[in-house]
Every structure is written in structure tokens, then in C-alpha cells.
Amino acid sequence: MEFATILSYFESIFSDSLHSPPLPPQVKKKTPFNVLLISPHPDDECLSSALALRLQRENSAQIFNAAVTLGSKKSRQKERLYELEKACEELNIKNFLLTLEYFGEDHSSDTQFWKSKENILEKLILKIQPRLIIAPHHQDGHP
């Protein structure tokens, strides 16, 4: 695909935000498959789901979200859970919460805590058998 074609395509995507962008001519519908988002923090399911949502639209992909935490502020976790559930509902994403435990800074070096989350995530991967897993970069974090 030439640069001019790509540029024209992206211009068409952003020119009318009220409508879904058109599919490029070479994209054909394929067999549906599962996509897994790994969301370490609340809101990550929204921030990192663009590719998954595009695959959902083009290929009827089923999106699953593995919500690792509800954030480090215990006082906001109930609110964050509600926000997470509503966002996933709006985006048509099936959500799995890996923990309801308080998640504060004290778990950063707790290998037993992280191993339990790895085990849950491994079982989830085996259950849904995603063709694609989208996860943050290992250096992703808050300043």
C-alpha cells in the first residue's frame, strides 16, 4: 500500500467521528477468533484496546480483558470496579478480574502475590485460547 493511500485512509477515519471508519479494500472478513487484553491498571482496557476493537469490527473477534488490579487507592477500588464493568460493557469486552485484594505499593516485590496472579492468568489463557494477546510494554508505568 502506498503512503498516499494510507494517508487518505487515515484522513477518512478521522474526518467523521460519528461514523465507523470504512474498511480498506483489501480487508476481507475472516473466521472469528479471541483476543486477550492484559490490563494492569484501571482504564488500560480502554487505552490499549484500539487494535482489538478493530479486529472485533473486521473479524468478529471476541475480546477478553484480564483486569489485573483495581488500582492502588483502596478508597477508589469500588468506584474503579464500576467504571471497569461499564467500560467493558460499552466496548463489548468480556472482563475477568484477577483480584479483589487490596493492591498497594507493598506488593511490588511480593513474588508469591504475583505468582498467584500468573497462575490465574495462565488458566484464563488456556480457557479462552486467544490468537492474540495485547499487553503493555515491560517498561510501561506511571512517572
Side-chain angles (χ1 to χ4, degrees):
M1 198 182 263
E2 295 180 20
F3 180 74
T5 306
I6 294 170
L7 181 60
S8 171
Y9 175 67
F10 279 101
E11 286 174 349
S12 71
I13 290 174
F14 297 108
S15 66
D16 186 2
S17 62
L18 298 177
H19 301 288
S20 296
L23 295 176
Q26 73 277 13
V27 174
K28 296 180 181 175
K29 298 271 184 185
K30 297 180 182 173
T31 306
F33 57 92
N34 293 335
V35 176
L36 176 62
L37 298 172
I38 299 176
S39 303
H41 313 102
D43 300 338
D44 287 349
E45 75 285 347
C46 295
L47 297 172
S48 62
S49 64
L51 174 60
L53 291 169
R54 184 69 188 228
L55 292 170
Q56 181 184 62
R57 180 172 180 265
E58 293 175 0
N59 298 77
S60 301
Q62 177 67 59
I63 306 172
F64 296 85
N65 180 55
V68 180
T69 75
L70 291 174
S72 59
K73 292 185 180 177
K74 188 172 179 70
S75 62
R76 292 205 60 225
Q77 289 184 339
K78 186 175 181 179
E79 176 185 4
R80 298 306 291 267
L81 177 59
Y82 176 77
E83 292 169 353
L84 172 67
E85 290 170 345
K86 295 308 276 182
C88 287
E89 180 182 319
E90 185 68 28
L91 296 171
N92 194 26
I93 295 174
K94 292 186 186 291
N95 187 55
F96 293 89
L97 185 60
L98 299 189
T99 186
L100 281 173
E101 300 174 54
Y102 170 65
F103 187 84
E105 295 299 321
D106 56 337
H107 289 298
S108 60
S109 62
D110 185 347
T111 55
Q112 186 175 1
F113 176 85
W114 286 112
K115 190 65 180 166
S116 71
K117 302 310 161 237
E118 287 176 18
N119 291 337
I120 296 167
L121 187 57
E122 180 182 15
K123 289 176 185 174
L124 181 60
I125 290 170
L126 291 172
K127 179 179 179 176
I128 66 172
Q129 299 183 346
R131 186 181 303 168
L132 175 66
I133 298 174
I134 300 172
H137 188 272
H138 73 279
Q139 291 180 333
D140 181 30
H142 299 278

